[in-house]
């Protein structure tokens, strides 16, 4: 590769940094009020271009602020496998975003190259796919990203337009594997896998409950229109899409979307009719990389409806059961099939009831990682089939390339027609899931399939286990980075004595469990508690929050 300093300096001069702002590379890139983001996005374009040269492959750059309000925006980079930017590059991206002027930008790049992070053998040409969600600031910021990419000699910026985040990740992955990588190819692959799975349903399955489709909250974001395109292709899926971003429907992420439903436990706007709410409902987030499911249940002795939430833990459990069933059918009859390592990955936020169910009822190994999709994704990639979900609804299924190869080439010598079908079903599953990143559209299809195979209504699915009552609180402290954790954030090592205090509090309630961690997206310490009853979970969370406030220099009144 060859750097053209003049080209870079001239391009960088058009994107001066905003005064007094420090950009931190958060869990998934840079995010801020859209009015101050041009410089950071331009420079993220440079990072994506260099990454493309370094890996000799196509890279993606997405303009979105996910579930944040409409006036915010952000930028995320998709790496060559369609997953998130390799973590070794995050400090570089952050230093570049915070360089004071064009000369410093050049210097940060040269330092990075000289430190050996950049091979001399890097390619001389590269390509970055650019996508954006529906935010009004997206057009301007995508242009800034394009200029950043083009500031690096030899790298092309391909503007893919309005996409969901997972669609862009999918395109990067497909393109680097030499597969068709257009938006149409995405719909074709997902719908093909879905159709095959429905066709291969064992006899008698899927007829127990009438399949009424889903009422879907599109969060007034990009997911709504993409889902409606998917629906045009997938004939067997009935969807009633609301909050699709029309003028009369409201603003992106305002009182709608997966984050709102999961955190507030409230119905999104335009889900008001009591008679409908017993039906299957789903909610996407603003860039459609998360989904949660829900339905309404008549509250005892009241007119109101309670919201019953089926979060990432429930989706994970459903998928684990569905995939395990396929494997069991296959392995019980096709004896020569190699042993398969199936595992699931959760974070400490996973409800204890889900973890227990997965381990004890299904006998599946459960790994825990710190919060943040990148951690879960990498852990899940270690299994032949690895499933991961955060409770907030972000997750997917990963099938190792070697395992897929076995599926493609294996020809069973024993077993029934049904067990052979399991092989094909696993292959079809790999078409429906997005192996780059969690994808609301793909998860919706797989949930429909899994429910039909199980013959379950949403209420049946909900009842596989009962969540332990939980409570989350936030504590404001002087410096949240002083809180240090270990064991996938389940234990605190600093401040000293805090863990001992948490242990004592957890021991005072039935089935008590609590942990604290500094947030990666907000200036607070988060407290999570669960226990046998809601009162106990509430009191445990409060007691732990008070200890955090005392031992970690809380700001303001104790919680
Ligand atoms: C980000 C993460 C999400 C995580 C959340 C935690 C990605 C794509 N998103 O939204 O996975 O659950 O941060 O936020 O990684 P917190 O650190 O403020 O609790
Ligand atoms: Mg999102």
């Amino acid at each position: 590769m060859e750097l053209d300093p003049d080209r870079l300096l001239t391009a960088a001069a058009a994107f001066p940094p905003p005064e007094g702002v420090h950009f931190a590379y958060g869990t998934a890139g840079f995010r801020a009020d859209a009015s101050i983001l041009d410089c950071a996005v331009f420079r993220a374009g440079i990072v994506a271009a260099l990454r493309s040269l370094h890996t000799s492959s196509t890279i993606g750059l997405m303009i979105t602020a996910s579930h944040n309000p409409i006036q915010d925006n952000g930028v995320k980079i998709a790496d060559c496998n369609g997953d998130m930017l390799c973590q070794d590059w995050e400090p570089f991206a952050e230093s570049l975003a915070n360089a004071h002027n064009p000369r410093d930008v050049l210097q940060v790049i040269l330092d990075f190259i000289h430190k050996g992070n950049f091979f001399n053998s890097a390619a001389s040409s590269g390509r970055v796919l650019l996508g954006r969600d529906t935010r009004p600031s997206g057009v301007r910021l995508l242009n800034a990203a394009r200029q950043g990419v083009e500031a690096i000699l030899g790298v092309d910026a391909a503007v893919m337009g309005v996409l969901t985040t997972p669609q862009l990740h999918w395109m990067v992955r497909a393109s680097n594997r030499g597969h068709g990588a257009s938006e149409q190819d995405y719909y074709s692959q997902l719908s093909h896998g879905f159709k095959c799975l429905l066709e291969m349903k064992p006899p008698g399955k899927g007829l127990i409950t009438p399949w009424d489709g889903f009422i879907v909250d599109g969060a007034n974001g990009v997911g709504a229109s993409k889902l409606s395109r998917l629906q045009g292709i997938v004939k067997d899926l009935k969807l009633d899409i609301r909050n699709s971003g029309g003028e009369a429907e409201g603003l992106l992420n305002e009182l709608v979307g997966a984050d709102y439903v999961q955190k507030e436990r409230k119905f999104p706007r335009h889900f008001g009719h009591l008679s409908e709410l017993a039906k299957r409902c789903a909610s996407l987030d603003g860039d459609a990389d998360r989904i949660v499911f829900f339905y309404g249940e008549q509250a005892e002795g009241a007119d109101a409806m309670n919201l019953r939430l089926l979060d990432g833990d429930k989706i994970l459990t459903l998928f684990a059961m569905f995939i395990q069933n396929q494997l069991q059918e296959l392995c019980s009859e096709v004896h020569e099939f190699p042993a398969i390592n199936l595992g699931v990955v959760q974070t400490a936020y996973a409800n204890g009831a889900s973890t227990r169910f997965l381990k004890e009822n299904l006998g599946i190994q459960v790994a825990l990682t710190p919060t943040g999709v990148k951690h879960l994704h990498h852990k899940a990639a270690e299994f032949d089939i690895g499933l991961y979900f955060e409770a907030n609804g972000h997750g997917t299924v990963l099938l190792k390339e070697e395992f897929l190869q076995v599926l493609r080439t294996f020809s069973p010598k024993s077993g029934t027609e049904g067990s052979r079908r399991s092989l094909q079903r696993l292959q079809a599953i790999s078409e429906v899931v997005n192996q780059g990143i969690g994808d609301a559209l793909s998860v919706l299809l797989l949930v429909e399939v899994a429910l039909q195979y199980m013959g379950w209504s949403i209420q049946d699915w909900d009842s596989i286990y009962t969540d332990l009552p939980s409570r989350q609180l936030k504590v404001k402290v002087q410096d949240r980075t002083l809180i240090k954790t270990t064991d996938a954030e389940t234990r605190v090592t600093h401040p000293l004595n805090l863990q001992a205090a948490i242990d004592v509090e957890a021991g005072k309630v039935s089935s008590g469990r609590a942990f604290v961690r500094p947030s990666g997206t907000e200036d607070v310490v988060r407290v999570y508690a669960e226990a046998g009853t809601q009162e106990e979970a509430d009191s445990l969370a409060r007691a732990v929050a008070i200890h955090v406030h005392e031992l970690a220099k809380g700001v303001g009144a104790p919680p």
Side-chain angles (χ1 to χ4, degrees):
M1 72 158 273
E2 211 179 310
L3 205 60
D4 178 346
D6 290 338
R7 180 189 180 109
L8 185 71
L9 291 172
T10 311
F15 293 95
E19 245 167 68
V21 179
H22 179 88
F23 288 105
Y25 195 97
T27 31
F30 301 111
R31 221 175 263 189
D33 189 282
S35 63
I36 57 162
L37 263 178
D38 298 63
C39 172
V41 169
F42 166 81
R43 294 175 184 185
I46 297 180
V47 174
L50 292 172
R51 182 82 190 146
S52 171
L53 294 178
H54 178 62
T55 56
S56 306
S57 49
T58 297
I59 295 293
L61 185 150
M62 180 73 194
I63 308 288
T64 178
S66 185
H67 59 276
N68 284 33
I70 191 160
Q71 64 274 16
D72 286 2
N73 216 327
V75 55
K76 314 189 201 182
I77 297 176
D79 220 335
C80 35
N81 280 324
D83 51 354
M84 286 159 86
L85 176 68
C86 154
Q87 287 176 57
D88 296 352
W89 277 52
E90 290 182 2
F92 168 57
E94 184 164 316
S95 311
L96 201 63
N98 292 301
H100 295 300
N101 52 49
R103 291 240 148 252
D104 286 357
V105 167
L106 180 60
Q107 197 55 51
V108 170
I109 296 172
L110 293 174
D111 289 350
F112 186 63
I113 293 173
H114 292 147
K115 264 198 221 132
N117 290 316
F118 212 81
F119 301 131
N120 292 331
S121 62
S124 56
S125 66
R127 193 163 76 119
V128 178
L129 308 185
L130 303 176
R132 64 175 176 93
D133 69 13
T134 51
R135 286 160 204 271
S137 57
V139 178
R140 191 188 84 237
L141 291 172
L142 190 127
N143 183 43
R146 186 174 58 75
Q147 295 195 43
V149 172
E150 290 173 349
I152 301 299
L153 191 65
V155 186
D156 273 344
V159 175
M160 311 309 287
V162 173
L163 294 172
T164 69
T165 297
Q167 283 181 323
L168 183 79
H169 283 254
W170 185 94
M171 287 174 178
V172 169
R173 183 180 169 88
S175 147
N176 287 326
R177 278 153 203 262
H179 301 159
S182 68
E183 191 179 341
Q184 192 55 41
D185 291 323
Y186 166 89
Y187 297 120
S188 302
Q189 181 180 310
L190 262 63
S191 58
H192 180 260
F194 179 72
K195 189 165 155 269
C196 292
L197 282 165
L198 290 190
E199 280 170 6
M200 288 188 284
K201 231 169 11 184
K205 285 289 185 182
L207 303 171
I208 299 165
T209 47
W211 299 105
D212 253 339
F214 288 96
I215 309 176
V216 185
D217 160 30
N220 290 321
V222 59
S225 64
K226 303 303 182 185
L227 189 56
S228 123
R229 271 189 75 176
L230 181 67
Q231 187 186 13
I233 299 168
V234 179
K235 299 282 179 259
D236 294 324
L237 186 63
K238 271 208 294 184
L239 299 177
D240 169 359
I241 304 170
R242 310 211 176 147
N243 303 323
S244 51
E247 292 246 316
E249 288 187 288
L251 284 181
L252 173 69
N253 296 331
E254 194 177 83
L255 305 178
V256 292
D259 200 63
Y260 174 78
V261 173
Q262 192 240 349
K263 296 245 165 67
E264 304 287 330
R265 306 280 161 122
K266 289 189 183 145
F267 293 102
R269 292 183 70 193
H270 304 123
F271 277 67
H273 302 291
L274 293 185
S275 59
E276 298 180 344
L277 290 179
K279 295 189 176 170
R280 308 189 302 170
C281 302
S283 184
L284 317 183
D285 82 333
D287 63 340
D289 64 353
R290 291 203 228 160
I291 185 167
V292 292
F293 294 81
F294 59 95
Y295 63 96
E297 191 182 57
Q298 192 80 48
E300 238 172 78
D303 284 343
M305 280 276 192
N306 283 334
L307 181 134
R308 299 283 312 179
L309 177 75
L310 292 91
D311 61 3
D313 300 338
K314 277 261 156 82
I315 303 172
L316 176 72
T317 312
L318 176 69
F319 286 0
M321 291 176 89
F322 174 54
I323 290 174
Q324 192 184 43
N325 285 351
Q326 304 313 316
L327 285 175
Q328 278 168 350
E329 187 166 0
L330 179 63
C331 300
S332 64
E333 295 189 20
V334 183
H335 303 298
E336 69 277 19
F337 196 75
I340 297 303
N341 187 11
L342 170 72
V344 302
V345 187
Q346 300 189 301
T347 71
Y349 286 109
N351 194 280
S354 73
T355 313
R356 191 170 319 127
F357 186 86
L358 286 157
K359 283 186 183 165
E360 293 175 11
N361 296 53
L362 303 184
I364 294 179
Q365 43 186 327
V366 180
L368 274 198
T369 70
T371 303
V373 168
K374 56 194 173 197
H375 302 297
L376 290 108
H377 190 95
H378 286 136
K379 188 70 197 169
E382 292 175 12
F383 298 99
D384 295 325
I385 305 181
L387 291 76
Y388 72 87
F389 268 88
E390 287 191 311
N392 64 22
H394 190 124
T396 190
V397 179
L398 303 182
L399 298 100
K400 238 191 206 150
E401 196 47 48
E402 293 80 355
F403 173 61
L404 286 174
Q405 197 54 29
V406 171
L407 288 182
R408 281 185 215 112
T409 53
F410 189 80
S411 72
K413 294 183 184 55
S414 56
T416 57
E417 179 65 22
S419 59
R420 289 174 202 195
R421 283 255 153 140
S422 305
L423 268 178
Q424 292 160 355
R425 288 190 197 119
L426 289 164
Q427 261 177 286
I429 289 172
S430 78
E431 288 183 18
V432 175
V433 296
N434 186 330
Q435 299 212 48
I437 197 158
D439 182 336
L441 274 53
S442 128
V443 170
L444 180 65
L445 294 184
L446 200 57
V447 162
E448 171 70 10
V449 166
L451 290 179
Q452 291 210 28
Y453 270 67
M454 300 290 189
W456 281 352
S457 64
I458 194 164
Q459 290 79 4
D460 296 331
W461 173 22
D462 190 23
S463 68
I464 50 181
Y465 62 82
T466 306
D467 278 327
L468 280 168
S470 65
R471 175 67 58 206
Q472 293 197 43
L473 292 175
K474 302 179 195 181
V475 186
K476 193 126 181 80
V477 298
Q478 276 175 21
D479 180 2
R480 75 189 198 282
T481 64
L482 296 181
I483 304 268
K484 303 280 183 227
T485 66
T486 184
D487 293 345
E489 301 176 329
T490 55
R491 299 188 69 75
V492 212
T493 51
H494 197 87
L496 297 174
N497 303 331
L498 180 52
Q499 186 57 50
I502 295 174
D503 290 342
V504 170
E505 298 298 345
K508 289 182 190 165
V509 296
S510 63
S511 307
R513 178 172 76 93
F515 67 92
V516 305
R517 56 177 279 278
S519 159
T521 64
E522 254 185 275
D523 189 13
V524 294
V525 176
R526 297 202 192 281
V527 173
Y528 176 92
E530 69 184 29
T533 66
Q534 191 60 56
E535 294 68 35
E536 288 177 313
D538 291 350
S539 80
L540 176 56
R542 231 179 0 258
V544 171
I546 289 169
H547 287 298
V548 171
H549 193 270
E550 270 170 24
L551 294 169
K553 301 208 175 76
V555 172

